[in-house]
Amino acid sequence: MDKNSANADRNISITRIAMIAALYAALTMLTLTFLQGFAWGPVQFRVSEALCILALFTPAAIPGLTLGCILANLLGILLVGSGPLGLLDVFFGSMATLLGSLWMWHFKDRKPLALLGPVVTNALIVSAYLPLMLAALGFYTIPFTTIDLAGTWPAMYIFGFICIATGEAIVVYGMGWPLAKMLESSGFADKLR
C-alpha cells in the first residue's frame, strides 16, 4: 500500500468516526428534547443506542459511538442541569458505550449475542451511578407508583438495572436489529466494512 492510499484510508476512518459521533450526539439530543426523562432517567429509551449496531460493520463505530456519547452527555449536562454529578454520566456512561461497542465488534458474527453487549454494559454501569444523580435531583419514585427508592442504593440499583436493561433491549433489538438488516440488504453495510 502506498503512502497516498494509506492517507486516504486514514481520512475515511476519521470521517466515519466523526459522522458516527455527530449522528449519535444529534439523536441523543433529539431524544433528550422530546422524551426528556425517558432519555436520562431510570427508564431510558435513547434512540441513539440503536446506532450501536454500526459496530457490527466497522471498527470505526467504536470510537465514533464513544465520542458521540461523550459529546451528548456533556451537552446533556447543560440541557438537564445535572451539575457536577453529570460528569459521572460523561465518564461512566461513555465507558458503557465503549465496552458495549467493543463487545459488539468482537461478537459481530453472532448478532443476537453481539446486540446484548450494549444492553449488559449500560445496565451494569449506568445503574451504579444513576441513583446518585437522580437522588440529587429528587427523582427516584418508581414510575406510576408512589414508591420512593431514594436513600436505598441497592433497591435503586436493582430497579435501575431492570429498567435500563429493558429500555436498552427495546432500542437495540427493536430498532437496531431491523436497522442492521436494512443496512445489510441495501448493501450499505458492505460499504462500511
Side-chain angles (χ1 to χ4, degrees), residues 3-193:
K3 188 175 182 178
N4 289 336
S5 181
N7 284 337
D9 286 346
R10 186 172 36 253
N11 290 340
I12 289 170
S13 287
I14 291 170
T15 302
R16 282 184 183 162
I17 291 167
M19 289 175 60
I20 292 168
L23 187 56
Y24 183 97
L27 281 173
T28 301
M29 288 298 98
L30 282 171
T31 305
L32 283 168
T33 301
F34 293 108
L35 295 180
Q36 297 176 4
F38 285 113
W40 58 269
V43 180
Q44 295 188 8
F45 296 100
R46 279 195 180 189
V47 175
S48 52
E49 287 294 299
L51 295 178
C52 288
I53 59 91
L54 294 174
L56 294 169
F57 309 116
T58 176
I62 298 165
L65 293 166
T66 304
L67 290 173
C69 189
I70 291 169
L71 179 60
N73 289 339
L74 284 170
L75 292 169
I77 290 173
L78 298 174
L79 200 61
V80 175
S82 58
L85 284 175
L87 294 175
L88 291 170
D89 203 24
V90 172
F91 182 77
F92 291 108
S94 302
M95 183 189 338
T97 298
L98 171 64
L99 295 173
S101 57
L102 283 168
W103 171 304
M104 193 169 290
W105 175 251
H106 181 75
F107 292 107
K108 64 185 176 285
D109 295 327
R110 300 187 335 210
K111 284 185 186 62
L113 178 61
L115 271 63
L116 192 59
V119 175
V120 170
T121 58
N122 276 284
L124 286 172
I125 295 171
V126 175
S127 300
Y129 67 83
L130 196 60
L132 301 172
M133 291 176 61
L134 295 177
L137 296 171
F139 180 69
Y140 230 92
T141 300
I142 295 177
F144 313 113
T145 73
T146 57
I147 302 169
D148 186 11
L149 298 175
T152 56
W153 187 88
M156 291 167 51
Y157 179 81
I158 292 167
F159 175 71
F161 181 92
I162 292 167
C163 291
I164 290 170
T166 302
E168 188 78 10
I170 289 170
V171 171
V172 172
Y173 284 94
M175 296 173 70
W177 197 337
L179 177 60
K181 288 181 179 182
M182 184 183 74
L183 292 175
E184 288 175 324
S185 66
S186 71
F188 192 74
D190 291 330
K191 291 178 183 177
L192 286 173
R193 290 187 174 106

